[in-house]
Structure formats: C-alpha cells, structure tokens
Amino acid sequence: EVASYLHRTSFHFQPEKNWMNDPNGPMYYKGYYHFFYQYNPNGAVWGDIVWGHAVSTDLIHWLYLDIALVPDQWYDAYGVWSGSVTLREDGVPIIIYTGASNAGEQTQNVAYPGDPSDPLLRRWVKDQENPILRSPPGINIKDFRDPTTAWKDVDGNWLMTVGAKKQKTGLALLYKSVDLKHWELQENVLHSVESTGMWECVDFFPVAVQGHHGLETYTAAPTVKYVLKASLDDTRHDHYALGSYNVMSKTFHPDDPTRDTGIGLRYDYGKFYASKSFFDPAQQRRILWGWVNESDSEVADIAKGWSSVQAIPRTVFYDDKTKNNLIQVPVEEVKELRGARVSERDVKLVPGGLVQVKGASGGQLDIEVVFDYPNITKLSLDGGQMDDGDHFDCSQGGAAHRGVFGPFGLLVLADENFQERTAVFFYVSYSKEGKWRTRFCSDQTRSSLLPDVDTTVYGSFVEVLPSEDFLSLRVLVDRSIVESFVQGGRMVITSRVYPTMATDQAAHLYLFNNATTSINVRNIDAWQMHSVPMHAI
Ligand code: FRU
C-alpha cells in the first residue's frame, strides 16, 4: 500500500480530489487567470463530467471555486464536455462547450456569465435556446465536439471550428456567426488530414514570426504564422502543424505537407493531451495548458482518490532559429517557487561516469543543465566506432545502452542505491545518410519499484543547429511528474513516475554518462522548489 499523498504533486494544478481531464476555456479576465477543467466530482475515474473552476493571479497559486457548469439539461445530461471561451466585443467572455446527451449525441452549447462585473465569474447561465449546433449531415452524432475560441473573419463575422471525422479523415469543421450564437456551417473545412481519425480539442492560433510575444486569436496579418493542433483520439497525442491561414478561402495550409497536423510535430513526446492555449493580454504572451494523465492503474487511482494533473502552463512562440517548430517554456512565474540552489561548473563525465549533484535533494526541483556538444570531429568514422543511429530509438536498453555519444544526461528521483531512478538523456549518433542527429529520451523503466505502472520509454529527435555547440535541458521535477524542456524548449517530454523510495529527502539528482567518450557539463543549476498551497473558497 502506497500512501495517497506520496505522489500528489506540490506545484502543479490538481483538484483537491477525484478525476480531472482536459483544460477548458482558459482566459485572463479582470485581473485573474481563469482555469476550467473536465472534472468528475464523484470519483477518481472518468464520468459525470462537469466544468471545475479555479482562479489565480500568477498561474501557480490557485483558488478553487464552485463548479461552473453541471449536467442539468437533456443535451448535457451525460456530461458537460470540453469547450472554449471567446471574448465578445464588449469584453464579456462566453463559453461554447460540447454537451453529451444520454443518447450519446454531441451538440454545441453556449453559456454566459451570470454577472460579468464579478471578476471571479462564479455564476454561469446556459442559453435557453441550446443546443446551438447539432452535427451536420455526414458527421456521426458521436464525432462532433470541442469548439475552439472564435476569431474574427475579414468581413467582421465570427468563425470557429469544431473537431470531427469522416471515415478515417480527421477534420476541423468551420462555422460562421454574427452573434456567436447562430452558427452557419461553411462549405469548406478549415483543414483535414487523411487517416488521422477523430480530431479532439482542436486549437488554432497565430504566432509572431519575429519576437516571442503572443498574439490575440483574432490577429490575421499576412506576416504571422498559424498553428493548427488536433488531439488524436487514435494516438492520444497532441499533434500540431505550422502553416499559413488564407483569410479569403478560410483554410489552413501547412508549411510542409509532410509535417501536417496529426502526422508531424508533437507538443510533447511523453504524456500531454487535449491541450488548449489562450492569449494573455496582461503579459502579451500565449499560454498553453495540457492534461497529463496517470501511468499507474485505475485501482491505484481509486485508492489514492485522485487522477491526473495539469502540466505547468507553457509560454509558446515560434522558433525563429529553426523556423519549423514552436518553442515551449514553463511560464516565468514558476521561478517564484525556486528556493535553495546548488550550482556546478565544468563537470567532466568520463565514460561510464556517475556524479551526484550534492545538495540537490528532494522530490521537487527545477534543473537547468548545459552540456558541451560532443566533439564529433574527433570521432574516426571507421565502422567499429560508427553508431548506427537509425537503430537506436530510445527504448532499446534505454539509459543502459552504450553508444559512442550517448546516453548522457540526468538521473532524477533516484534513491542512493539506484533502486529507483528516472533517466532523461541525450543520444547523439551518426545516421546512414551521413548526418549527425540528436535524440532526447525519458526512460521510466527503473522509475518505480511498484509493479503496476506503465514504464514506456519516450523519445524523439531534437534539432541542433550547426551554430549551437551545446545541448541544453531544463527539467521540472514534482514528486510524480518530470517535464523536460530540451534545447531551449524546442522539444518537450513529460512523464509520470511513482517512486516509493526516492521520495522527499531520499530523492537525489545525478549526472550520468553511459557513452564511450567523455562528456563535459558546462554548468548545472538546481533549485529546490517550494510547495504551493491550494485553497478553496
Ligand atoms: C478529450 C475529450 C474531449 C471531450 C472530453 C470529455 O480528452 O475526450 O473530446 O470533450 O474529453 O471529457
């Protein structure tokens, strides 16, 4: 039996108890960040879904409010499902959400603040004329959900999309409205991609090509790029594409068709789903929320009385260096929680080396580390030393694999006898095409002595530019979650782990190098993170 508090996070958003899934309707209103979420008030498994509600002034400290929307109509009797907030021209936020009926029908519905002068927006009123949208011909009543934030068309009308599928094609249906209530299906879809299945929680937003500031959802300048994200019900991953938005045809076009929505980039190569972004006018940035579910069993969730956390909100912007992906970094505010710090410079990791970062103990850390990029010019590429990167996919041997230039990285949440440890690491290799490539992996295989947890190894490639002679990594560790932001946030992996020994002061941090060449650590800084009290009113 593992105590229920052992894996509860200390600075991530979690309800006081029970099940949570998607982030819904995030916004900034009258001085408060509002966060709604798919919530089961009756248990630690999915069901009886309502909109939970919390507010914050810094995205870190949260105040739980009363449930905002409950199933009390025929059209949402089976659940008040995901949706978004749109700020009306008069500044009043409205919610458009998916209602699921007991017959399984998915419809779109609108709700208004009971009192827009209340900065906490505690009361919500559903429109008498709901549902405002039912699935159009050709779309199954069970494949029609998760409306986006609406944006303004060039002719002044509102546009929004609703995720759907037709056979195996995932698509974003396009609707037009003058009043955000009466919606008209458009002939064209915003976008669709074959064989990607149902598109859940579509998100569509502009990013600036120059600068890291965020843009209003309504911005439609020719100089901006657009992001189209879909959560694929089939793969359970959030996939995005960068592209352009043609304001005349009202269609999205990926920059690179081989990296279209659902077949190319992911926000996160670990666990991160049903994400949703919003524009924060207070700090002029775009913030991304994402749901991180558990890797333990349902039985364990019921025993601990809760399931799922939200990832630390991330600031997202266009990577103006690679020009083909987004950058995601934890919101600045998380640094408020940094306490005692340890720093080391120029740590040499010999082949097989393992070095403890002394003083960096505890299950709650914020870590920044920079490695020198391995000295690949010194490698003689005669067969024996050449590493066939094509055959290493992070899961073969995981961190225990030995290559010429990897794995090297960190062991987090490790007990002093290494019975438990989670390895986050780089692996640099030379491919058949004659190119150096860098992988980043998160290996959970030895993260817990508990038998009933999913320990899948995660990993993918990360682009390193010729001008970059380093590999950087920022890791947030919070008891049962490990979030790794690689090369400035170009690639991200989130994992869930359930240490039973490597907890609190028995959790340590190590640098390791399993490569057959030495690796130099330029610098490492690790901060112990304070816990955040969450309050209910
Ligand atoms: C995504 C999702 C949405 C749906 C909601 C129901 O996780 O399945 O498509 O609206 O969760 O809770």
Side-chain angles (χ1 to χ4, degrees):
E1 252 327 76
V2 175
S4 67
Y5 60 84
L6 201 58
H7 300 126
R8 198 173 160 86
T9 61
S10 68
F11 59 91
H12 283 72
F13 182 83
Q14 286 190 246
E16 288 173 286
K17 58 178 183 190
N18 297 330
W19 167 273
M20 169 174 68
N21 55 296
D22 313 357
N24 292 147
M27 70 171 133
Y28 182 81
Y29 187 67
K30 292 190 190 289
Y32 291 93
Y33 293 101
H34 285 254
F35 183 68
F36 303 92
Y37 51 97
Q38 295 281 282
Y39 179 59
N40 180 352
N42 304 319
V45 298
W46 185 89
D48 302 336
I49 296 291
V50 304
W51 275 40
H53 186 192
V55 290
S56 169
T57 53
D58 64 1
L59 294 159
I60 301 293
H61 298 80
W62 292 93
L63 205 57
Y64 301 114
L65 299 180
D66 285 345
I67 290 165
L69 294 168
V70 298
D72 56 7
Q73 305 292 323
W74 72 265
Y75 54 79
D76 59 16
Y78 186 62
V80 183
W81 287 7
S82 285
S84 304
V85 157
T86 298
L87 289 179
R88 241 164 39 188
E89 256 143 14
D90 60 3
V92 174
I94 65 150
I95 287 172
I96 303 182
Y97 71 92
T98 299
S101 77
N102 281 326
E105 181 181 1
Q106 295 165 9
T107 60
Q108 314 318 321
N109 303 282
V110 58
Y112 311 100
D115 174 11
S117 72
D118 171 17
L120 301 184
L121 297 169
R122 276 169 288 199
R123 213 164 54 80
W124 290 85
V125 183
K126 296 174 188 175
D127 196 297
Q128 296 282 338
E129 287 170 51
N130 282 340
I132 53 161
L133 275 180
R134 301 177 87 149
S135 68
I139 300 293
N140 190 294
I141 57 165
K142 293 185 173 175
D143 298 327
F144 179 59
R145 60 184 177 273
D146 311 335
T148 62
T149 294
W151 67 95
K152 273 294 177 74
D153 195 3
V154 274
D155 59 17
N157 290 310
W158 291 100
L159 293 169
M160 78 169 176
T161 85
V162 179
K165 75 166 177 184
K166 252 186 190 160
Q167 280 89 45
K168 287 200 161 108
T169 299
L171 41 104
L173 298 169
L174 188 65
Y175 287 89
K176 178 162 140 175
S177 171
V178 286
D179 58 3
L180 290 165
K181 174 171 164 182
H182 300 92
W183 294 91
E184 206 183 293
L185 180 66
Q186 301 301 287
E187 257 170 48
N188 69 286
V189 296
L190 177 72
H191 195 51
S192 67
V193 179
E194 272 175 35
S195 308
T196 54
M198 177 65 196
W199 283 10
E200 297 188 318
C201 301
V202 171
D203 200 14
F204 181 57
F205 59 89
V207 285
V209 176
Q210 264 169 22
H212 298 169
H213 59 284
L215 297 172
E216 291 267 12
T217 306
Y218 323 107
T219 315
T223 53
V224 307
K225 280 201 181 289
Y226 272 78
V227 174
L228 180 61
K229 184 275 297 189
S231 303
L232 300 200
D233 200 11
D234 290 357
T235 68
R236 307 303 290 173
H237 295 307
D238 276 17
H239 296 257
Y240 73 95
L242 275 168
S244 57
Y245 171 55
N246 183 325
V247 294
M248 298 318 294
S249 62
K250 305 178 215 323
T251 47
F252 172 80
H253 301 271
D255 286 346
D256 174 357
T258 68
R259 309 217 300 171
D260 206 342
T261 307
I263 59 173
L265 295 161
R266 275 166 57 180
Y267 277 153
D268 195 299
Y269 289 84
K271 293 196 154 209
F272 189 82
Y273 194 66
S275 65
K276 192 177 293 294
S277 71
F278 73 105
F279 174 69
D280 168 17
Q283 307 277 338
Q284 300 285 310
R285 58 188 167 174
R286 184 160 286 270
I287 294 171
L288 180 68
W289 280 99
W291 164 42
V292 183
N293 70 350
E294 302 296 315
S295 296
D296 64 0
S297 65
E298 197 168 277
V299 172
D301 292 346
I302 293 166
K304 63 188 203 274
W306 57 268
S307 181
S308 297
V309 308
Q310 298 293 329
I312 287 292
R314 304 171 181 176
T315 303
V316 285
F317 50 88
Y318 178 67
D319 187 342
D320 55 9
K321 295 201 181 82
T322 63
K323 303 201 193 299
N324 59 31
N325 56 270
L326 291 173
I327 295 282
Q328 302 170 68
V329 287
V331 291
E332 275 297 302
E333 287 90 332
V334 77
K335 292 181 181 166
E336 290 168 14
L337 301 176
R338 287 175 168 182
R341 164 187 172 173
V342 294
S343 300
E344 293 190 38
R345 298 280 169 276
D346 285 314
V347 184
K348 190 166 175 192
L349 298 175
V350 297
L354 184 64
V355 175
Q356 185 176 2
V357 184
K358 291 209 183 73
S361 294
Q364 302 164 211
L365 295 177
D366 186 352
I367 308 157
E368 290 183 355
V369 55
V370 180
F371 299 92
D372 281 337
Y373 196 84
N375 192 350
I376 50 179
T377 53
K378 281 217 184 116
L379 181 71
S380 70
L381 289 172
D382 52 1
Q385 272 200 318
M386 189 167 139
D387 221 58
D388 187 356
D390 297 328
H391 292 138
F392 179 72
D393 69 354
C394 293
S395 59
Q396 291 150 341
H401 182 88
R402 292 207 74 172
V404 180
F405 288 137
F408 60 90
L410 300 175
L411 298 182
V412 302
L413 294 171
D415 67 280
E416 58 183 4
N417 298 316
F418 303 103
Q419 294 195 63
E420 293 180 326
R421 78 271 184 172
T422 298
V424 289
F425 61 89
F426 290 97
Y427 188 91
V428 179
S429 64
Y430 194 71
S431 72
K432 280 208 269 309
E433 303 87 64
K435 274 194 300 212
W436 288 99
R437 294 189 303 184
T438 305
R439 281 180 176 76
F440 183 79
C441 315
S442 182
D443 180 356
Q444 283 68 244
T445 49
R446 309 301 294 271
S447 60
S448 175
L449 292 174
L450 291 176
D452 214 8
V453 295
D454 174 3
T455 56
T456 305
V457 179
Y458 307 124
S460 189
F461 293 104
V462 55
E463 190 171 344
V464 180
L465 298 172
S467 60
E468 296 172 336
D469 60 355
F470 60 88
L471 292 170
S472 80
L473 174 60
R474 165 116 181 252
V475 187
L476 293 177
V477 178
D478 188 8
R479 302 168 68 95
S480 67
I481 184 169
V482 178
E483 289 160 288
S484 301
F485 299 83
V486 187
Q487 209 66 354
R490 211 170 266 163
M491 186 262 205
V492 187
I493 297 185
T494 300
S495 59
R496 297 300 307 279
V497 291
Y498 302 87
T500 58
M501 306 183 70
T503 62
D504 300 322
Q505 288 316 302
H508 303 296
L509 174 66
Y510 298 84
L511 288 154
F512 80 96
N513 177 22
N514 257 346
T516 57
T517 30
S518 292
I519 298 291
N520 188 51
V521 182
R522 232 178 247 190
N523 51 271
I524 179 163
D525 296 280
W527 292 263
Q528 291 183 358
M529 297 293 275
H530 296 297
S531 299
V532 175
M534 308 250 175
H535 295 292
I537 55 166

